[in-house]
Amino acid sequence: MGRIYNFSAGPAMLPVEVLTEAAEEMLDYKGSGMSVMEMSHRSKTYAGIIQEAEKDLRELMNIPDNYKVLFLQGGASQQFAAVPMNLMKNKVADYIITGQWAKKAYQEASIYGKANAIASSADKTFTYIPDCSDLPISDDADYVYICENNTIYGTKYKTLPNTKGKTLVADISSCFLSEPVDVTKYGILYGGVQKNVGPAGVVIAIIREDLITEDTLPGTPTMLKYKTQADNGSLYNTPPAYGIYICGKVFKWIKNMGGLEAMKEKNEIKAKLLYDFLDQSKLFKGTVVKEDRSLMNVPFVTGNEELDAKFVKEAKAAGLDSLKGHRTVGGMRASIYNAMPYDGVKTLVDFMRKFEAENL
Ligand SMILES: *Cc1c(COP(=O)(O)O)cnc(C)c1O
């Protein structure tokens, strides 16, 4: 059995080079006589692994010195609570609702203070990004929150919102390391790594230092205080050690490829192949307005549920896995993250062309 093309939204494909290297080091990591899975997180060897991972990430994303990089647990979903707990000094925050993940974050923040939904694309099933050039930002908002790439609906912000001077917080789970990013525009960027960076179980948060304070909401658990994690170099307790090690390998893989500029170029070529096909197809149709299309998640439909189901089934039999759309959207979704090779997308498009000829 060879490897198949896995279009899952997450956990998703990892680079073969990374998996191969991890396999080679499985029983004996660099002469330590043990696997990284078995290693103390307080050991010198592990310190080397986590420090190098951070260094490589800082290089890749050009992270300024006044930002901390934290390796956390609890999934992106736990940050929905950690963000308000750490940042809501005035107990007010503005949320832009562009899909289910933004909505969940908004609902979670509402537990801790006044969360305002200042814009939404719910009126058209989240198929676009609202105009964010002049939003009614609250005077006393502690931050403005976005989900930068909407994994389920396949939209992405092409310009960041005008926050009128307020701190921007972004969930970048599904666009992490897919293209260059100007970290200085954000107060916090965070993401679960299982979409584009590594195995499930690690969340990376990049946080401007002035936002890391003792002044958190009453009742904030020690573990959820950014200060606890920052003061301890992400080693307050046992971190997701093996996951961080794999993330480190993915950082090296991207560096070897030429960094985020090169990654973006590859991702654009892959996405264009699929979108160009969708734009001329008589059977398949992309669901998102062109200007806001994601490079990572590409939802599409035939307009006929039975035909959608037939497509997903036949694609799977042809080695094109996990193309079923999110349960709330239906249709299909191809997630084409960094590790999806060009040939994977090419094979998908060829298969779609054949399916179209047979079923139109
Ligand atoms: C997958 C995803 C989440 C949820 O991540 P968990 O790690 O499962 O909590 C949140 N936000 C976005 C944008 C996602 O794609």
Side-chain angles (χ1 to χ4, degrees):
M1 268 294 287
R3 283 173 61 79
I4 59 171
Y5 294 121
N6 173 10
F7 293 90
S8 168
M13 287 184 84
L14 286 168
V16 172
E17 295 86 341
V18 167
L19 296 175
T20 306
E21 230 181 79
E24 282 162 4
E25 293 172 353
M26 183 59 77
L27 297 180
D28 177 7
Y29 175 76
K30 296 191 175 162
S32 66
M34 60 178 94
S35 166
V36 175
M37 268 186 232
E38 304 168 298
M39 194 174 280
S40 164
H41 60 293
R42 307 279 175 210
S43 66
K44 227 179 171 172
T45 312
Y46 193 73
I49 291 172
I50 191 168
Q51 282 160 16
E52 189 153 330
E54 176 173 340
K55 185 175 131 290
D56 285 337
L57 182 64
R58 284 184 173 278
E59 251 179 75
L60 274 175
M61 292 181 74
N62 201 10
I63 300 173
D65 287 343
N66 65 324
Y67 283 74
K68 292 278 191 215
V69 173
L70 305 181
F71 295 97
L72 308 171
Q73 305 193 50
S77 302
Q78 188 155 81
Q79 294 305 307
F80 298 170
V83 166
M85 283 179 148
N86 283 275
L87 260 51
M88 263 192 179
K89 319 285 178 193
N90 298 327
K91 296 213 172 191
V92 179
D94 290 345
Y95 280 71
I96 301 172
I97 315 295
T98 52
Q100 219 182 86
W101 296 119
K103 192 170 158 200
K104 282 192 168 164
Y106 159 74
Q107 288 167 337
E108 189 73 16
S110 305
I111 299 173
Y112 305 102
K114 190 167 177 329
N116 304 305
I118 56 166
S120 168
S121 51
D123 60 334
K124 291 182 182 155
T125 350
F126 303 117
T127 51
Y128 70 103
I129 298 287
D131 177 1
C132 298
S133 57
D134 186 18
L135 294 171
I137 308 281
S138 313
D139 283 339
D140 50 354
D142 292 303
Y143 59 90
V144 175
Y145 183 101
I146 62 168
C147 177
E148 191 158 333
N149 183 80
N150 295 280
T151 325
I152 295 172
Y153 301 94
T155 57
K156 173 160 195 290
Y157 286 80
K158 301 296 158 82
T159 19
L160 293 174
N162 174 4
T163 65
K164 302 183 180 171
K166 302 294 181 194
T167 296
L168 179 65
V169 175
D171 175 355
I172 56 164
S173 295
S174 51
C175 55
F176 221 138
L177 301 178
S178 62
E179 55 183 283
V181 36
D182 181 355
V183 172
T184 64
K185 294 217 161 87
Y186 305 78
I188 300 182
L189 308 100
Y190 77 85
V193 304
Q194 73 271 26
K195 309 290 160 66
N196 215 7
V197 186
V202 183
V203 176
I204 299 175
I206 301 157
I207 310 179
R208 213 177 55 222
E209 272 170 359
D210 61 283
L211 299 171
I212 303 174
T213 66
E214 291 282 10
D215 181 22
T216 57
L217 294 187
T220 302
T222 307
M223 281 283 292
L224 290 194
K225 291 180 183 171
Y226 292 138
K227 186 141 195 337
T228 306
Q229 302 290 353
D231 286 352
N232 291 282
S234 303
L235 295 171
Y236 171 73
N237 71 328
T238 319
Y242 192 81
I244 294 167
Y245 152 79
I246 299 291
C247 290
K249 290 202 179 297
V250 173
F251 301 155
K252 291 245 186 270
W253 178 77
I254 299 174
K255 277 177 75 178
N256 285 338
M257 198 170 300
L260 295 187
E261 282 293 348
M263 205 69 250
K264 179 184 188 203
E265 217 172 285
K266 280 181 195 295
N267 286 331
E268 282 175 342
I269 291 170
K270 283 188 291 178
K272 184 173 189 308
L273 184 63
L274 184 47
Y275 283 125
D276 281 353
F277 174 77
L278 288 170
D279 287 343
Q280 60 73 56
S281 171
K282 292 188 176 60
L283 180 63
F284 298 101
K285 198 166 116 284
T287 56
V288 165
V289 303
K290 281 190 188 175
E291 312 83 75
D292 300 329
R293 283 170 164 174
S294 166
L295 284 182
M296 298 282 99
N297 310 98
V298 185
F300 55 95
V301 294
T302 65
N304 172 337
E305 277 181 36
E306 271 171 45
L307 208 52
D308 286 350
K310 184 174 184 230
F311 175 82
V312 171
K313 190 165 165 244
E314 291 182 9
K316 188 175 169 63
L320 303 164
D321 201 61
S322 299
L323 281 163
K324 195 168 183 298
H326 189 270
R327 58 198 145 80
T328 61
V329 185
M332 282 73 72
R333 171 179 49 174
S335 294
I336 50 175
Y337 297 119
N338 288 351
M340 171 61 67
Y342 177 84
D343 278 351
V345 182
K346 173 89 170 45
T347 307
L348 171 63
V349 168
D350 289 346
F351 182 82
M352 289 168 77
R353 194 175 284 117
K354 179 169 153 281
F355 187 88
E356 176 168 320
E358 288 166 2
N359 291 278
L360 201 61

